[in-house]
Amino acid sequence: MQSLDQFQYERLDSQFNVDYMEELDTDLLKYGVVCLSENGNNNLMWSHYADEHKGVMIELESENLFRFSPEQKKVMDNDFSAASIKPKPVNYDVKRAGLDISEECLYEYANSNFIERFFTMKGYEWKCEQEWRYIFKFLHADKVIVNTPEEQVESISNELIRCKVPFDLESNTFIVNAGDNDFNMIMVDVISKNNDLSPVYLKSVNPRCIKAIYFGCRVEESVAREKKDTLIRTNKAYGQVIFKKIDLDEESYQLRQTIL
């Protein structure tokens, strides 16, 4: 943002610069990112993102991984939106984006181009992650969870009821499903901002896209088998999923897989 600020002061008048920066900053707050990796056998990834090998990894089929309504699809994958139905590869570089930002980031499709570039850049030292990212608008979430201070629960409840937004309340936590349109998400976003709350936006994964579940090498095999049986017993969709156990190779630092 600082580099873009300098860039615009050099080429554009200051008033345009201020207006554009405010608009861009507002737009950035509308997007979230889903981060995935194409590498499932990386020791560092298991350590960083799976509770030091005590967690799980889920293998997903990227095609049709997330569901969108026809209306949502209309505003995605076009020049005016950074959101995309398909994942985009992360570009790894040794230097940050700076004054080499192209002029297209300042004009016709400015915000979408800049936001897409912003969300798909990472330092070169992270290249081992082999990361892909989905860029979504929070507006397109399937569910939103809002943790609320006890003194605000009644007022938030009244606002949601007044706006005819259905919700579940568990202790001080509001749970709102998207429904058939984006209205519920819009109202939750507005109410959250007006009350200085930080909602958590969730996007459902198509269960048919779950190909395999891997248990880390520090998960006891008996525990892994118990979890597998529980999942299959409670949801028959998991009957099509392959369950695997990750173990350390005895002769190298590689990870090996065995089917449970």
Side-chain angles (χ1 to χ4, degrees), residues 8 12-22 106-107:
Q8 290 187 93
L12 305 168
D13 67 82
S14 59
Q15 184 56 49
F16 179 89
N17 179 67
V18 172
D19 292 343
Y20 180 80
M21 292 294 288
E22 289 178 353
L106 301 176
Y107 296 104

Side-chain angles (χ1 to χ4, degrees), residues 34-253:
V34 177
C35 305
L36 303 172
S37 172
E38 62 181 82
N39 187 348
N41 274 343
N42 187 299
N43 262 304
L44 289 176
M45 296 285 283
W46 274 96
S47 181
H48 290 161
Y49 301 111
D51 193 18
E52 297 181 349
H53 298 264
K54 297 190 291 289
V56 299
M57 176 182 69
I58 303 175
E59 182 180 352
L60 302 166
E61 174 59 55
S62 61
E63 194 70 26
N64 299 316
L65 178 57
F66 299 101
R67 292 170 175 164
F68 299 94
S69 68
E71 292 75 19
Q72 291 171 347
K73 288 180 179 179
K74 287 180 182 178
V75 300
M76 299 177 75
D77 283 333
N78 59 56
D79 291 328
F80 297 98
S81 175
S84 175
I85 294 173
K86 295 182 179 181
K88 299 178 183 294
V90 169
N91 300 306
Y92 301 95
D93 206 334
V94 294
K95 72 184 190 72
R96 297 181 184 274
L99 300 185
D100 60 336
I101 293 174
S102 63
E103 291 192 13
E104 70 175 0
C105 287
L106 301 176
Y107 296 104
E108 189 173 3
Y109 306 130
N111 291 10
S112 60
N113 285 334
F114 183 82
I115 290 171
E116 180 180 327
R117 181 172 179 177
F118 178 81
F119 282 135
T120 55
M121 292 186 68
K122 210 166 184 177
Y124 189 80
E125 63 270 24
W126 297 100
K127 191 173 183 179
C128 64
E129 292 186 342
Q130 297 175 257
E131 188 175 347
W132 290 71
R133 291 180 171 181
Y134 287 91
I135 304 172
F136 293 150
K137 284 193 170 184
F138 288 128
L139 179 64
H140 295 162
D142 296 319
K143 181 182 292 187
V144 61
I145 297 174
V146 187
N147 292 317
T148 310
E150 187 172 352
E151 62 271 16
Q152 289 183 276
V153 169
E154 184 176 357
S155 62
I156 299 297
S157 296
N158 292 336
E159 285 191 73
L160 290 171
I161 293 171
R162 181 175 58 81
C163 297
K164 298 182 179 179
V165 175
F167 63 90
D168 292 318
L169 181 60
E170 297 180 6
S171 186
N172 296 343
T173 301
F174 290 90
I175 303 172
V176 178
N177 292 309
D180 297 328
N181 54 54
D182 298 330
F183 176 77
N184 292 347
M185 296 294 102
I186 293 173
M187 294 314 304
V188 171
D189 184 61
V190 170
I191 292 171
S192 297
K193 288 178 179 176
N194 290 343
N195 291 275
D196 198 26
L197 302 174
S198 300
V200 176
Y201 296 90
L202 302 175
K203 189 69 182 171
S204 300
V205 169
N206 181 352
R208 294 182 180 180
C209 292
I210 301 176
K211 298 175 64 177
I213 295 177
Y214 301 73
F215 295 89
C217 64
R218 296 177 69 185
V219 178
E220 294 290 336
E221 184 171 331
S222 59
V223 174
R225 290 187 180 279
E226 180 185 347
K227 297 297 183 184
K228 169 190 172 182
D229 294 341
T230 300
L231 285 171
I232 294 174
R233 186 172 63 253
T234 56
N235 190 331
K236 49 184 184 178
Y238 285 102
Q240 306 300 316
V241 175
I242 299 172
F243 291 84
K244 296 184 179 182
K245 179 74 171 62
I246 297 289
D247 290 299
L248 297 177
D249 187 87
E250 295 177 358
E251 298 180 357
S252 71
Y253 289 105

